[in-house]
Amino acid sequence: MSSGVRLDVWLWSVRAYPTRSAATAACRAGHVRRGGVPAKAAQQVSVGDEIRLRFPGGRERHLVVTELLTRRVGASLARTAYEDLTPAPDPVLAAPPPRRDRGTGRPTKKERRALDRLRGRSSS
């Protein structure tokens, strides 16, 4: 076996992305970092490399390669190919957004500002 595997193939194999083309697109967009540096899809990954993935919504995963895979495998086998060092999400940010009762209309400006403060955003 070779000393490394293409980054996009490995990301697809461990089920980080649903398709290889999605993994390639994430690399092109700069959402994948290998060793703290933006990575290209064709870069070789080897055991011990640290991979950081950024997903929509601000989620981020931190993976350490423990096994090289070239084919997509089942989810239970895929989990053995990396060590997940991702910290637990902040429970405040993981909570579902508050819901309004039907028929109450749009929130007022005062209510929108209160919602923004609750979500930790700056209201402008």
Side-chain angles (χ1 to χ4, degrees), residues 3-5 45-50 64-68 81:
S3 63
V5 177
V45 175
S46 56
V47 175
D49 284 350
E50 292 186 16
V64 176
V65 179
T66 59
E67 185 181 341
L68 298 178

Side-chain angles (χ1 to χ4, degrees), residues 41-94:
Q43 284 184 344
Q44 296 292 310
V45 175
S46 56
V47 175
D49 284 350
E50 292 186 16
I51 311 288
R52 288 187 181 268
L53 311 170
R54 193 172 65 229
F55 292 98
R59 274 190 331 128
E60 193 170 302
R61 289 183 72 188
H62 183 200
L63 308 175
V64 176
V65 179
T66 59
E67 185 181 341
L68 298 178
L69 298 175
T70 57
R71 293 185 177 196
R72 195 164 170 96
V73 294
S76 59
L77 288 175
R79 276 188 230 105
T80 63
Y82 60 86
E83 184 181 347
D84 195 352
L85 301 178
T86 307
D90 187 12
V92 173
L93 297 176

Side-chain angles (χ1 to χ4, degrees), residues 7-8 10-27 31-32 52-56 61 72:
L7 178 60
D8 59 345
W10 187 83
L11 290 171
W12 168 72
S13 299
V14 298
R15 298 176 171 263
Y17 290 97
T19 62
R20 183 173 166 195
S21 60
T24 304
C27 290
H31 300 305
V32 179
R52 288 187 181 268
L53 311 170
R54 193 172 65 229
F55 292 98
R61 289 183 72 188
R72 195 164 170 96

Side-chain angles (χ1 to χ4, degrees), residues 69 71 89-90 99 102-103 116 118-119 124:
L69 298 175
R71 293 185 177 196
D90 187 12
R99 297 286 175 198
R102 283 184 70 89
D116 285 342
L118 178 67
R119 292 177 180 152
S124 313

